[in-house]
């Protein structure tokens, strides 16, 4: 199983990619052929090891050796069939579930990696760094997102809302990224594709005994207890 993560620098980039205003001239609604080689909105794409996936129902144990830990919000797609060089037009046929994703990262290690020009993803490649919520069929995900006014995904800690993620364009970006990634990664059943904003202001610090609740609209899809 692979865990593929693709980030943008900020939410404006995410919207621009979806609308085709990122310089590629290609939007999600475009009917014509899509040239994957000419589409270059990827800001930061990396693959995490299978051991980075946390187990549902288990707590997240803070890795003391990694210093300050924060969490970021993502949209996760579950790959359901084998695929290589998938067309964006048919990408939705290759995943059967969407949900909220949460990725823990060591801010301490990230700062060091950035300072020394080393790969950033090392700060998220530790055990149980990635958490995914209850899977929803794509049609149910779309129905919930469609009735929301503004950001649909929220992170709460002990009842207090800490941050939000606008996923109104996430479905189209999942299709585009799946198509782009499948050019050099064979997609297999069970693989995970996580998409989201890489904006640092979206990161929330976590501490021992925190109870984190991740919701899509009014539906809580993921709970993580920090130990």
């Amino acid at each position: 199983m692979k865990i593929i993560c693709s980030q943008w620098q900020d939410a404006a980039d995410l919207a621009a990619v979806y609308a085709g205003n990122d310089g590629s001239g290609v939007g999600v609604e475009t009917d014509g052929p899509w040239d994957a080689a000419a589409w270059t909105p990827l800001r930061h794409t990396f693959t995490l090891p299978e051991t980075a996936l946390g187990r549902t129902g288990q707590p997240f144990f803070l890795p003391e050796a990694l210093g300050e830990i924060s969490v970021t919000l993502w949209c996760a797609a579950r790959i359901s069939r084998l695929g290589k060089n998938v067309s964006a037009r048919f990408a939705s046929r290759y995943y059967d579930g969407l949900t909220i994703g949460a990725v823990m990262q060591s801010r301490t290690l990230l700062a060091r990696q950035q300072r020394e020009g080393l790969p950033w993803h090392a700060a998220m490649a530790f055990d149980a760094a990635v958490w995914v919520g209850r899977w929803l069929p794509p049609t149910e995900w779309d129905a919930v997102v469609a009735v929301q006014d503004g950001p649909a995904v929220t992170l709460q800690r002990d009842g207090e809302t800490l941050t939000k993620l606008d996923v109104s364009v996430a479905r189209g970006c999942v299709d585009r990224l799946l198509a782009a990634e499948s050019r050099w990664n064979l997609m297999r059943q069970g693989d995970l594709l996580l998409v989201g904003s890489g904006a640092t202001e979206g990161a929330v610090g976590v501490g021992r005994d925190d109870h984190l609740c991740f919701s899509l609209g009014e539906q809580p899809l993921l709970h993580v207890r920090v130990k």
Side-chain angles (χ1 to χ4, degrees):
M1 183 193 77
K2 298 187 297 297
I3 304 174
I4 301 172
C5 304
S6 292
Q7 292 178 307
W8 290 267
Q9 190 60 36
D10 52 43
D13 273 345
L14 189 68
V17 169
Y18 185 81
N21 297 326
D22 61 322
S24 67
V26 181
V28 171
E29 302 299 330
T30 300
D31 294 327
W34 176 56
D35 182 2
W39 187 70
T40 56
L42 301 184
R43 298 294 189 264
H44 191 198
T45 300
F46 52 92
T47 301
L48 297 178
E50 183 176 348
T51 54
L53 184 63
R55 294 184 179 182
T56 303
Q58 297 294 314
F60 170 66
F61 293 95
L62 283 173
E64 295 183 4
L66 293 180
E68 180 186 356
I69 301 296
S70 63
V71 62
T72 53
L73 297 178
W74 300 68
C75 171
R78 181 177 60 192
I79 305 302
S80 58
R81 58 187 292 190
L82 199 68
K84 181 69 173 177
N85 292 318
V86 176
S87 166
R89 179 180 179 184
F90 302 113
S92 61
R93 300 179 183 180
Y94 288 81
Y95 57 91
D96 63 359
L98 292 168
T99 191
I100 297 170
V103 178
M104 305 291 179
Q105 58 182 327
S106 166
R107 302 298 296 176
T108 304
L109 181 55
L110 180 62
R112 191 189 76 182
Q113 298 294 99
Q114 292 174 328
R115 184 173 61 251
E116 298 181 2
L118 298 173
W120 294 9
H121 71 270
M124 292 157 270
F126 53 89
D127 290 353
V130 177
W131 296 82
V132 293
R134 175 170 56 87
W135 293 102
L136 299 178
T139 52
E140 184 176 346
W141 171 280
D142 290 344
V144 175
V145 172
V147 299
Q148 299 301 308
D149 182 17
V153 170
T154 58
L155 164 59
Q156 292 185 321
R157 178 172 57 205
D158 301 323
E160 176 189 1
T161 298
L162 301 179
T163 189
K164 300 180 179 181
L165 176 65
D166 186 351
V167 294
S168 59
V169 301
R171 179 75 182 279
C173 289
V174 167
D175 291 351
R176 291 283 173 160
L177 280 169
L178 193 156
E181 293 293 339
S182 71
R183 295 179 61 232
W184 50 80
N185 276 310
L186 176 65
M187 296 294 178
R188 297 181 181 273
Q189 184 176 13
D191 287 350
L192 299 180
L193 176 64
L194 278 71
V195 304
S197 170
T200 55
E201 61 268 21
V204 173
V206 299
R208 202 175 306 279
D209 297 325
D210 282 352
H211 177 204
L212 307 177
C213 179
F214 304 82
S215 301
L216 177 67
E218 299 298 321
Q219 296 188 43
L221 296 183
L222 173 63
H223 294 270
V224 179
R225 291 192 176 274
V226 183
K227 297 292 186 180

